[in-house]
C-alpha cells in the first residue's frame, strides 16, 4: 500500500478557499444588513424631525448622528419638499437616503460590484 501522508494537505488546499469565501461572504452580509438597518433608523428619525417642523440643518444633523457608523462620503440625502416653508401641515415629507457599500470578498465583489441601498421614509407633517 502506498503512503497517504499528503492526503490531508491536498484536501485542506481544496477546501480552504471555499471556506474563506463563505466566511467573507457572511461578513459582507452582516455589513450590508447593518448598513440597511442604520439607513432605516436614520430615515425614520429624520422624517420625524421634519414632520414636527424642524429646519433642514436639524434634519441633516439627525441623519449624520444616526449614520455615524457609515462612511458619510458615500451617503446621499434628499428631503422633499426642499424647504421648511413648503412643508405645511397635512402634506407628506419624504426622506430618501442612498448608500453604496463595497463588498470585501474578492470573488463576489468583482462579480456583483458595490451594493446600492436606498431607504425612503414618508411622514405627514403635523
Amino acid at each position: 500500500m502506498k503512503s497517504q501522508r499528503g492526503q490531508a494537505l491536498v484536501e485542506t488546499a481544496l477546501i480552504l478557499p471555499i471556506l474563506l469565501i463563505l466566511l467573507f461572504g457572511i461578513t459582507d452580509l452582516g455589513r450590508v444588513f447593518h448598513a440597511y438597518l442604520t439607513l432605516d433608523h436614520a430615515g425614520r428619525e429624520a422624517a420625524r424631525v421634519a414632520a414636527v417642523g424642524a429646519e433642514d440643518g436639524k434634519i441633516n444633523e439627525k441623519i449624520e448622528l444616526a449614520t455615524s457608523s457609515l462612511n458619510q462620503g458615500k451617503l446621499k440625502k434628499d428631503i422633499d419638499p426642499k424647504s421648511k416653508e413648503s412643508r405645511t401641515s397635512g402634506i407628506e415629507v419624504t426622506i430618501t437616503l442612498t448608500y453604496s457599500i463595497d463588498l470585501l470578498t474578492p470573488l463576489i465583489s468583482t462579480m456583483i460590484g458595490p451594493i446600492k441601498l436606498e431607504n425612503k421614509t414618508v411622514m405627514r407633517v403635523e
Side-chain angles (χ1 to χ4, degrees), residues 107-121:
L107 185 62
I108 297 174
S109 66
T110 56
M111 290 180 354
I112 297 175
I115 295 178
K116 184 178 175 183
L117 300 174
E118 183 177 284
N119 177 270
K120 189 177 286 192
T121 306

Side-chain angles (χ1 to χ4, degrees), residues 58-91:
K58 286 283 189 187
I59 298 168
N60 285 322
E61 181 181 322
K62 186 59 98 170
I63 292 171
E64 289 173 11
L65 284 173
T67 59
S68 62
S69 63
L70 300 178
N71 183 352
Q72 295 296 317
K74 295 182 178 182
L75 180 66
K76 292 181 177 65
K77 310 168 240 182
D78 183 44
I79 304 167
D80 186 43
K82 299 285 183 202
S83 66
K84 180 185 177 198
E85 292 77 29
S86 44
R87 292 191 290 262
T88 58
S89 181
I91 70 164

